[in-house]
Amino acid sequence: MNYYQSLTEQHQTILSLLASLEKEILKIKEDQKFNNISELKKILSKLSSTLKDHLLLEDEFMYPVLREHPNKEIRELAEKFSKEMGGLKHAFSAYINKWVPLENIKTSPSAFISDTKTIISALQIRIAKEEKILFPNIKYNKHKTLITNKTPYKKWLFFLIGISTIVLLSVWLYLQIK
């Protein structure tokens, strides 16, 4: 699995969902009504699940690998980005908790619009920073294999090699005794 490719594809999905969310809040602002609840629910649900998957991929694979990178600057950069993302993660979670009971939007559409613009901007800025500062260190450095080849299956590979060795030794021992 190429984590870099998965992360950039998720960025594109997130940016597309943010653009859709912007269109929906413009409708609320123009109409001063709230009659697009099903579309907002769909967008917020998809955005939340995509962001959750994206953060899992970053937290479980990308950041741990970059923290072990031989280049100290890249290790420090990864740590900085990881810490920054924690704050944005909590801000997005608070946003979702506040507005996913979509009835809250009906009672405070202007506050929803303001909060949504803030979260959209924060996510767009974060994605731009990752694409311009962090991801080039994954995609273009000589250690790209650290990201693209580190998989949870590596442990299983060593396990299977160990089992195979035991089986071969057992067969050899059996043939020697016979």
Side-chain angles (χ1 to χ4, degrees):
M1 170 185 236
N2 185 329
Y3 297 116
Y4 173 80
Q5 183 179 354
S6 294
L7 289 166
T8 55
E9 286 173 3
Q10 288 171 346
H11 276 177
Q12 294 311 308
T13 301
I14 292 166
L15 290 172
S16 174
L17 289 165
L18 294 175
S20 297
L21 189 55
E22 278 182 310
K23 288 178 187 173
E24 291 304 315
I25 65 170
L26 284 174
K27 290 178 188 175
I28 295 172
K29 193 173 184 177
E30 290 171 359
D31 295 345
Q32 293 298 316
K33 296 177 188 169
F34 184 75
N35 42 0
N36 54 342
I37 194 163
S38 63
E39 187 61 25
L40 272 172
K41 185 176 183 177
K42 185 173 92 175
I43 294 167
L44 289 174
S45 175
K46 179 72 174 160
L47 179 60
S48 185
S49 69
T50 304
L51 201 52
K52 181 180 173 186
D53 291 345
H54 183 74
L55 294 174
L56 180 68
L57 191 58
E58 286 183 345
D59 292 344
E60 295 296 318
F61 298 104
M62 184 181 74
Y63 288 127
V65 170
L66 290 178
R67 285 185 187 113
E68 296 172 10
H69 198 282
N71 183 323
K72 181 183 177 187
E73 291 174 358
I74 292 176
R75 289 192 310 266
E76 290 172 352
L77 187 65
E79 191 60 37
K80 177 185 172 202
F81 269 74
S82 180
K83 285 179 183 176
E84 285 176 6
M85 193 59 210
L88 185 52
K89 184 178 181 178
H90 293 299
F92 183 77
S93 187
Y95 168 83
I96 289 296
N97 290 335
K98 180 178 181 180
W99 297 112
V100 162
L102 297 175
E103 296 75 33
N104 293 349
I105 301 170
K106 290 180 182 179
T107 59
S108 302
S110 58
F112 171 72
I113 291 169
S114 176
D115 287 356
T116 301
K117 286 180 178 180
T118 300
I119 206 73
I120 287 171
S121 176
L123 287 168
Q124 288 171 332
I125 290 168
R126 175 57 186 213
I127 289 171
K129 282 176 71 176
E130 285 183 357
E131 294 279 339
K132 290 178 180 153
I133 299 169
L134 186 63
F135 284 9
N137 289 302
I138 299 168
K139 185 176 181 183
Y140 297 113
N141 72 42
K142 66 181 179 178
H143 302 287
K144 180 181 176 188
T145 54
L146 290 173
I147 294 296
T148 58
N149 291 337
K150 183 167 178 153
T151 67
Y153 307 110
K154 219 175 207 180
K155 292 176 187 171
W156 285 104
L157 179 63
F158 288 119
F159 175 74
L160 291 173
I161 290 170
I163 294 294
S164 299
T165 303
I166 291 170
V167 169
L168 287 173
L169 286 173
S170 298
V171 169
W172 178 80
L173 186 61
Y174 174 77
L175 292 174
Q176 295 300 319
I177 294 173
K178 204 174 176 188

